[in-house]
Amino acid sequence: MIVFTPEAKKEILRTFSSPGIPDGYALRVGMKGGACSGSYLLGLDKASVHDEVYEIEGVVVVIDRRHLMYVIGTKIDYTQTDAGAGFVIMKE
């Protein structure tokens, strides 16, 4: 469904081990916007009644049911460059 590179998984698990992250939070993967201007969304959130909850490679992931068809088959990477570091989400 969703694939994490080893770097992304390491960074996500490191984030969740931080003392500032409250219990019950998961990684939210979804979409923001729509049609041709849509972009991927990645963040920390609690599941709602509109979400599906999955455990993928040890990471609890929540996805709004309306976004499932858009995020299935995505790959999440974490990169570090001179310009900064961050997650990159791409369709496989």
Side-chain angles (χ1 to χ4, degrees):
M1 168 175 282
I2 294 174
V3 176
F4 300 108
T5 64
E7 296 82 10
K9 182 179 172 183
K10 178 181 172 185
E11 188 63 23
I12 291 165
L13 293 176
R14 187 188 69 73
T15 299
F16 277 110
S17 69
S18 299
I21 306 298
D23 289 338
Y25 274 70
L27 180 70
R28 177 169 297 280
V29 181
M31 298 296 294
K32 181 172 57 172
C36 296
S37 64
S39 60
Y40 289 106
L41 167 81
L42 191 66
L44 303 179
D45 201 2
K46 286 189 171 188
S48 75
V49 297
H50 304 289
D51 294 324
E52 294 289 331
V53 180
Y54 302 95
E55 184 171 332
I56 303 170
E57 299 181 35
V59 177
V60 178
V61 177
V62 294
I63 304 170
D64 186 307
R65 288 183 188 101
R66 297 170 295 180
H67 300 175
L68 279 172
M69 65 186 216
Y70 302 107
V71 300
I72 290 174
T74 56
K75 180 178 183 179
I76 299 175
D77 191 12
Y78 183 80
T79 61
Q80 293 182 327
T81 66
D82 292 339
F87 291 97
V88 178
I89 304 172
M90 61 202 101
K91 198 73 164 174
E92 288 229 301

PDB file of all heavy atoms in Angstrom, residues 6-21:
ATOM      1  N   PRO A   6      14.234   2.998   3.967  1.00  0.00           N
ATOM      2  CA  PRO A   6      14.822   2.849   5.302  1.00  0.00           C
ATOM      3  C   PRO A   6      15.071   4.199   5.993  1.00  0.00           C
ATOM      4  O   PRO A   6      14.853   4.325   7.205  1.00  0.00           O
ATOM      5  CB  PRO A   6      16.139   2.122   5.030  1.00  0.00           C
ATOM      6  CG  PRO A   6      15.892   1.359   3.771  1.00  0.00           C
ATOM      7  CD  PRO A   6      14.990   2.237   2.955  1.00  0.00           C
ATOM      8  N   GLU A   7      15.484   5.211   5.237  1.00  0.00           N
ATOM      9  CA  GLU A   7      15.730   6.532   5.807  1.00  0.00           C
ATOM     10  C   GLU A   7      14.433   7.157   6.331  1.00  0.00           C
ATOM     11  O   GLU A   7      14.412   7.759   7.408  1.00  0.00           O
ATOM     12  CB  GLU A   7      16.368   7.465   4.764  1.00  0.00           C
ATOM     13  CG  GLU A   7      17.734   7.038   4.296  1.00  0.00           C
ATOM     14  CD  GLU A   7      17.691   5.963   3.206  1.00  0.00           C
ATOM     15  OE1 GLU A   7      16.606   5.663   2.659  1.00  0.00           O
ATOM     16  OE2 GLU A   7      18.759   5.406   2.911  1.00  0.00           O
ATOM     17  N   ALA A   8      13.357   7.033   5.565  1.00  0.00           N
ATOM     18  CA  ALA A   8      12.071   7.594   5.977  1.00  0.00           C
ATOM     19  C   ALA A   8      11.551   6.884   7.219  1.00  0.00           C
ATOM     20  O   ALA A   8      11.099   7.532   8.169  1.00  0.00           O
ATOM     21  CB  ALA A   8      11.058   7.495   4.843  1.00  0.00           C
ATOM     22  N   LYS A   9      11.611   5.573   7.223  1.00  0.00           N
ATOM     23  CA  LYS A   9      11.131   4.810   8.379  1.00  0.00           C
ATOM     24  C   LYS A   9      11.912   5.195   9.630  1.00  0.00           C
ATOM     25  O   LYS A   9      11.323   5.404  10.700  1.00  0.00           O
ATOM     26  CB  LYS A   9      11.251   3.316   8.098  1.00  0.00           C
ATOM     27  CG  LYS A   9      10.740   2.461   9.220  1.00  0.00           C
ATOM     28  CD  LYS A   9      10.864   0.995   8.866  1.00  0.00           C
ATOM     29  CE  LYS A   9      10.528   0.125  10.056  1.00  0.00           C
ATOM     30  NZ  LYS A   9      10.707  -1.289   9.757  1.00  0.00           N
ATOM     31  N   LYS A  10      13.220   5.313   9.514  1.00  0.00           N
ATOM     32  CA  LYS A  10      14.060   5.689  10.653  1.00  0.00           C
ATOM     33  C   LYS A  10      13.662   7.062  11.188  1.00  0.00           C
ATOM     34  O   LYS A  10      13.523   7.256  12.397  1.00  0.00           O
ATOM     35  CB  LYS A  10      15.529   5.681  10.224  1.00  0.00           C
ATOM     36  CG  LYS A  10      16.488   6.084  11.297  1.00  0.00           C
ATOM     37  CD  LYS A  10      17.921   6.066  10.757  1.00  0.00           C
ATOM     38  CE  LYS A  10      18.894   6.651  11.754  1.00  0.00           C
ATOM     39  NZ  LYS A  10      20.241   6.756  11.206  1.00  0.00           N
ATOM     40  N   GLU A  11      13.453   8.026  10.294  1.00  0.00           N
ATOM     41  CA  GLU A  11      13.096   9.381  10.711  1.00  0.00           C
ATOM     42  C   GLU A  11      11.692   9.430  11.323  1.00  0.00           C
ATOM     43  O   GLU A  11      11.457  10.135  12.304  1.00  0.00           O
ATOM     44  CB  GLU A  11      13.196  10.343   9.528  1.00  0.00           C
ATOM     45  CG  GLU A  11      13.031  11.787   9.889  1.00  0.00           C
ATOM     46  CD  GLU A  11      14.107  12.334  10.823  1.00  0.00           C
ATOM     47  OE1 GLU A  11      15.224  11.779  10.876  1.00  0.00           O
ATOM     48  OE2 GLU A  11      13.818  13.336  11.515  1.00  0.00           O
ATOM     49  N   ILE A  12      10.753   8.685  10.763  1.00  0.00           N
ATOM     50  CA  ILE A  12       9.385   8.646  11.303  1.00  0.00           C
ATOM     51  C   ILE A  12       9.393   8.051  12.699  1.00  0.00           C
ATOM     52  O   ILE A  12       8.789   8.596  13.633  1.00  0.00           O
ATOM     53  CB  ILE A  12       8.455   7.859  10.356  1.00  0.00           C
ATOM     54  CG1 ILE A  12       8.243   8.642   9.062  1.00  0.00           C
ATOM     55  CG2 ILE A  12       7.124   7.561  11.037  1.00  0.00           C
ATOM     56  CD1 ILE A  12       7.649   7.828   7.933  1.00  0.00           C
ATOM     57  N   LEU A  13      10.074   6.920  12.875  1.00  0.00           N
ATOM     58  CA  LEU A  13      10.129   6.282  14.198  1.00  0.00           C
ATOM     59  C   LEU A  13      10.868   7.167  15.196  1.00  0.00           C
ATOM     60  O   LEU A  13      10.498   7.223  16.378  1.00  0.00           O
ATOM     61  CB  LEU A  13      10.771   4.901  14.088  1.00  0.00           C
ATOM     62  CG  LEU A  13       9.947   3.878  13.305  1.00  0.00           C
ATOM     63  CD1 LEU A  13      10.721   2.568  13.157  1.00  0.00           C
ATOM     64  CD2 LEU A  13       8.589   3.635  13.953  1.00  0.00           C
ATOM     65  N   ARG A  14      11.884   7.881  14.752  1.00  0.00           N
ATOM     66  CA  ARG A  14      12.596   8.818  15.635  1.00  0.00           C
ATOM     67  C   ARG A  14      11.654   9.931  16.091  1.00  0.00           C
ATOM     68  O   ARG A  14      11.626  10.314  17.259  1.00  0.00           O
ATOM     69  CB  ARG A  14      13.806   9.421  14.915  1.00  0.00           C
ATOM     70  CG  ARG A  14      14.683  10.272  15.835  1.00  0.00           C
ATOM     71  CD  ARG A  14      15.760  11.011  15.071  1.00  0.00           C
ATOM     72  NE  ARG A  14      15.226  12.062  14.211  1.00  0.00           N
ATOM     73  CZ  ARG A  14      14.742  13.229  14.633  1.00  0.00           C
ATOM     74  NH1 ARG A  14      14.697  13.504  15.905  1.00  0.00           N
ATOM     75  NH2 ARG A  14      14.298  14.116  13.770  1.00  0.00           N
ATOM     76  N   THR A  15      10.842  10.436  15.169  1.00  0.00           N
ATOM     77  CA  THR A  15       9.880  11.486  15.502  1.00  0.00           C
ATOM     78  C   THR A  15       8.880  10.992  16.541  1.00  0.00           C
ATOM     79  O   THR A  15       8.588  11.691  17.516  1.00  0.00           O
ATOM     80  CB  THR A  15       9.138  11.961  14.236  1.00  0.00           C
ATOM     81  OG1 THR A  15      10.102  12.488  13.317  1.00  0.00           O
ATOM     82  CG2 THR A  15       8.107  13.019  14.566  1.00  0.00           C
ATOM     83  N   PHE A  16       8.367   9.780  16.363  1.00  0.00           N
ATOM     84  CA  PHE A  16       7.387   9.249  17.302  1.00  0.00           C
ATOM     85  C   PHE A  16       7.982   8.938  18.666  1.00  0.00           C
ATOM     86  O   PHE A  16       7.255   8.864  19.651  1.00  0.00           O
ATOM     87  CB  PHE A  16       6.690   8.018  16.729  1.00  0.00           C
ATOM     88  CG  PHE A  16       5.550   8.364  15.830  1.00  0.00           C
ATOM     89  CD1 PHE A  16       5.643   8.140  14.474  1.00  0.00           C
ATOM     90  CD2 PHE A  16       4.393   8.939  16.327  1.00  0.00           C
ATOM     91  CE1 PHE A  16       4.598   8.476  13.627  1.00  0.00           C
ATOM     92  CE2 PHE A  16       3.342   9.281  15.498  1.00  0.00           C
ATOM     93  CZ  PHE A  16       3.441   9.045  14.143  1.00  0.00           C
ATOM     94  N   SER A  17       9.287   8.769  18.751  1.00  0.00           N
ATOM     95  CA  SER A  17       9.918   8.511  20.042  1.00  0.00           C
ATOM     96  C   SER A  17      10.205   9.803  20.805  1.00  0.00           C
ATOM     97  O   SER A  17      10.632   9.758  21.953  1.00  0.00           O
ATOM     98  CB  SER A  17      11.202   7.702  19.863  1.00  0.00           C
ATOM     99  OG  SER A  17      12.194   8.467  19.223  1.00  0.00           O
ATOM    100  N   SER A  18       9.961  10.949  20.183  1.00  0.00           N
ATOM    101  CA  SER A  18      10.172  12.244  20.838  1.00  0.00           C
ATOM    102  C   SER A  18       9.192  12.406  21.993  1.00  0.00           C
ATOM    103  O   SER A  18       8.019  12.024  21.874  1.00  0.00           O
ATOM    104  CB  SER A  18       9.966  13.388  19.850  1.00  0.00           C
ATOM    105  OG  SER A  18      10.869  13.299  18.786  1.00  0.00           O
ATOM    106  N   PRO A  19       9.639  13.009  23.086  1.00  0.00           N
ATOM    107  CA  PRO A  19       8.750  13.160  24.251  1.00  0.00           C
ATOM    108  C   PRO A  19       7.568  14.101  24.005  1.00  0.00           C
ATOM    109  O   PRO A  19       6.570  14.026  24.704  1.00  0.00           O
ATOM    110  CB  PRO A  19       9.669  13.707  25.341  1.00  0.00           C
ATOM    111  CG  PRO A  19      10.853  14.264  24.623  1.00  0.00           C
ATOM    112  CD  PRO A  19      10.972  13.519  23.334  1.00  0.00           C
ATOM    113  N   GLY A  20       7.632  14.967  22.993  1.00  0.00           N
ATOM    114  CA  GLY A  20       6.548  15.918  22.742  1.00  0.00           C
ATOM    115  C   GLY A  20       5.372  15.360  21.966  1.00  0.00           C
ATOM    116  O   GLY A  20       4.364  16.042  21.785  1.00  0.00           O
ATOM    117  N   ILE A  21       5.455  14.115  21.498  1.00  0.00           N
ATOM    118  CA  ILE A  21       4.374  13.529  20.708  1.00  0.00           C
ATOM    119  C   ILE A  21       3.416  12.804  21.651  1.00  0.00           C
ATOM    120  O   ILE A  21       3.795  11.833  22.304  1.00  0.00           O
ATOM    121  CB  ILE A  21       4.923  12.539  19.648  1.00  0.00           C
ATOM    122  CG1 ILE A  21       5.979  13.202  18.771  1.00  0.00           C
ATOM    123  CG2 ILE A  21       3.775  11.960  18.813  1.00  0.00           C
ATOM    124  CD1 ILE A  21       5.495  14.381  17.966  1.00  0.00           C
TER     125      ILE A  21
END
